[in-house]
């Protein structure tokens, strides 16, 4: 799991939804890089060869993965997982601190959970 300290940003549901839409090209890149890295590492571990390259390409993909993660986190978004991509946006609902939750495959931010309950406490909006 990948986490980031809360930067103090607080998002409305509309802001969280807008950010997911705006950052979708970066999220898509993260998914592509993640898949390439997994395939390359599996090939190198199994055969020592890969059409995707060698150790230098692993390092390059890792660097790109962390650069994209950093770009997402700079918006105050909490990256909870990379596989699958799970993003939390600190917010408030009915006077309680919540996290608006987006999971890879979701078309929009459609879930939330109390900040103290985690993923297991997810509820539909």
């Amino acid at each position: 799991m990948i986490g980031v300290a809360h930067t103090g940003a607080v998002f409305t549901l509309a802001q969280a939804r807008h950010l997911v839409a705006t950052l979708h090209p970066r999220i898509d890149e993260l998914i592509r890089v993640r898949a390439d890295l997994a395939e390359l590492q599996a090939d190198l571990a199994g055969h020592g060869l890969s059409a995707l390259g060698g150790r230098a390409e692993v390092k390059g993909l890792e660097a790109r993965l962390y650069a994209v993660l950093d770009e997402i986190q700079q918006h105050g978004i909490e990256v909870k997982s990379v596989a699958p991509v799970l993003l939390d946006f600190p917010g408030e609902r009915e006077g309680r601190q919540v996290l608006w939750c987006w999971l890879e495959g979701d078309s929009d931010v459609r879930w939330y959970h109390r900040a103290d309950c985690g993923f297991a406490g997810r509820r539909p909006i």
Side-chain angles (χ1 to χ4, degrees):
M1 220 146 27
I2 295 182
V4 61
H6 182 25
T7 62
V10 176
F11 301 93
T12 65
L13 177 57
Q15 289 169 326
R17 286 177 166 162
H18 176 75
L19 264 175
V20 165
T22 301
L23 291 172
H24 220 284
R26 295 288 69 76
I27 295 167
D28 288 345
E29 181 180 4
L30 177 64
I31 292 166
R32 277 191 311 274
V33 169
R34 178 193 71 199
D36 286 349
L37 183 58
E39 186 176 323
L40 177 55
Q41 288 174 324
D43 286 350
L44 293 178
H47 313 297
L49 303 170
S50 176
L52 294 172
R55 291 297 308 152
E57 286 73 20
V58 168
K59 293 298 181 192
L61 287 169
E62 288 172 341
R64 187 64 201 141
L65 183 96
Y66 287 112
V68 174
L69 286 171
D70 185 55
E71 183 180 343
I72 292 169
Q73 291 169 339
Q74 285 179 14
H75 291 275
I77 300 166
E78 298 177 11
V79 179
K80 297 295 178 101
S81 173
V82 174
V85 177
L86 176 60
L87 306 177
D88 278 347
F89 301 78
E92 188 176 294
R93 180 182 168 107
E94 300 171 356
R96 184 181 293 269
Q97 190 178 29
V98 299
L99 295 167
W100 308 114
C101 193
W102 182 86
L103 179 63
E104 182 179 331
D106 289 350
S107 60
D108 197 359
V109 178
R110 297 183 180 199
W111 300 86
Y112 77 97
H113 57 84
R114 288 183 5 193
D116 61 344
C117 290
F119 190 84
R122 280 181 20 131
R123 297 179 183 275
I125 294 173

